[in-house]
């Protein structure tokens, strides 16, 4: 029997090993089956760069994207017991809003560099230092090279780095720019349900995963982060919540 044929089973086993995604990294689950089952490994990779941007230039959508990342950071901080570093060149961060998403002021370290370049340097230094449980950074402009560096240091430190991609113009989608991020999200506000009494209901968001490594895009309507940073699927929608694979958005019946 030819030697090549004798070694065929071993060769096939090696190819399968190469083709199989690595799943031994730490995972941050959302705790929502409709989200987690669509993410590689059952949730977000902890040691990775993740990006989110507002679905539109409206203040409501920007708030939704901000609180979406705040909720992820809050859950990681609660699990590890460390602070969250929030880096931004702006001065419009609303602390009571972060507290409602699970990030009270006592658990947040604020950094305000003078420009995006300095901000990215602060983030990279903080990851290497290892003090924060998670990092949220608001940036307007970031290069592909910079996102690769952040992805590498996040993986080495097993720390989530969450970039809030700010719009530099109303018409330009920040996620049109290339990035090495593990996942890229668009988040916008959705109509909320009213309570049985006078008042407003819990906020709802349209969460759209634009890209993930090793998986398909999808969209889902969820209830916004609560006081522990956790999302929920609206009870009235249940398993028929607005969700779809690909880029086509389907409204719930």
């Amino acid at each position: 029997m030819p030697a090549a044929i004798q070694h065929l089973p071993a060769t096939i086993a090696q190819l399968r090993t190469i083709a199989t995604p690595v799943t031994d990294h730490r995972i941050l689950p959302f705790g929502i089956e409709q989200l987690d089952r669509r993410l590689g490994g059952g949730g977000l990779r902890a040691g990775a760069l993740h990006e989110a941007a507002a679905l539109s230039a409206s203040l409501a959508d920007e708030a939704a994207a901000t609180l979406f990342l705040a909720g992820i950071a809050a859950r990681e901080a609660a699990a590890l017991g460390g602070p969250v570093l929030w880096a931004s060149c702006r001065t419009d961060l609303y602390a009571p809003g972060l507290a409602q998403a699970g990030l009270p002021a006592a658990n947040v370290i604020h950094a305000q560099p003078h420009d995006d370049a300095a901000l990215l340097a602060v983030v990279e230094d903080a990851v290497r230092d290892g003090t924060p449980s998670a990092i949220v950074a608001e940036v307007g402009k970031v290069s592909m090279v910079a996102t690769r560096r952040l992805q590498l240091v996040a993986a080495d430190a097993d720390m989530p780095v969450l970039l809030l991609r700010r719009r530099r113009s109303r018409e330009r989608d920040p996620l049109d720019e290339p990035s090495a991020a593990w996942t890229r999200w668009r988040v916008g506000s959705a109509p909320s349900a009213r309570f049985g009494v006078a008042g407003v209901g819990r906020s709802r968001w349209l969460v759209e995963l634009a890209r993930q490594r090793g998986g398909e895009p999808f969209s889902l309507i969820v209830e916004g982060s609560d006081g522990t940073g956790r999302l929920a699927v609206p009870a009235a929608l249940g398993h028929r919540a607005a969700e779809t694979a690909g880029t086509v958005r389907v409204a719930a019946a």
Side-chain angles (χ1 to χ4, degrees):
M1 182 178 295
I5 296 178
Q6 290 179 344
H7 293 293
L8 185 58
T11 302
I12 293 175
Q14 291 171 357
L15 290 174
R16 285 176 176 168
T17 300
I18 295 172
T20 302
V22 177
T23 57
D24 61 351
H25 46 258
R26 191 165 60 89
I27 295 297
L28 304 177
F30 281 93
I32 299 177
E33 190 268 342
Q34 291 90 334
L35 266 175
D36 290 336
R37 66 182 168 84
R38 288 175 166 81
L39 294 168
L44 293 178
R45 179 169 179 166
L49 174 67
H50 303 282
E51 294 182 347
L55 197 60
S56 75
S58 71
L59 292 177
D61 285 359
E62 287 201 358
T66 301
L67 295 179
F68 174 75
L69 293 184
I72 297 172
R75 296 196 304 273
E76 181 72 344
L80 300 184
V84 171
L85 173 66
W86 198 292
S88 175
C89 300
R90 300 166 57 139
T91 59
D92 60 350
L93 191 62
Y94 186 57
L98 295 187
Q100 290 180 353
L103 271 184
N107 294 347
V108 182
I109 300 172
H110 295 276
Q112 191 175 353
H114 57 83
D115 59 25
D116 284 344
L119 182 145
L120 294 172
V122 167
V123 170
E124 189 170 335
D125 287 345
V127 175
R128 295 186 188 279
D129 175 75
T131 297
S133 294
I135 295 175
V136 183
E138 304 179 33
V139 295
K141 183 178 181 180
V142 57
S143 68
M144 182 67 172
V145 172
T147 61
R148 284 175 179 161
R149 288 178 61 90
L150 292 178
Q151 171 57 37
L152 288 173
V153 295
D156 288 342
D158 193 31
M159 181 187 299
V161 176
L162 312 172
L163 285 191
L164 179 60
R165 299 293 300 268
R166 292 283 195 174
R167 288 176 176 263
R168 287 183 285 162
S169 67
R170 295 185 63 87
E171 297 78 19
R172 187 171 182 178
D173 183 353
L175 300 192
D176 286 342
E177 300 172 359
S179 172
W182 201 266
T183 63
R184 309 188 81 188
W185 304 79
R186 293 186 185 91
V187 185
S189 59
S192 62
R194 294 185 177 276
F195 286 143
V197 295
V200 295
R202 181 174 173 180
S203 61
R204 288 183 179 177
W205 302 336
L206 173 61
V207 174
E208 180 181 285
L209 181 57
R211 196 199 76 181
Q212 65 169 319
R213 294 194 190 182
E216 297 294 327
F218 63 87
S219 62
L220 179 72
I221 289 179
V222 299
E223 292 183 339
S225 299
D226 63 11
T228 64
R230 298 190 177 278
L231 306 175
V233 172
L237 300 182
H239 69 278
R240 295 194 301 165
E243 58 183 50
T244 181
T247 57
V248 179
R249 301 168 195 163
V250 179

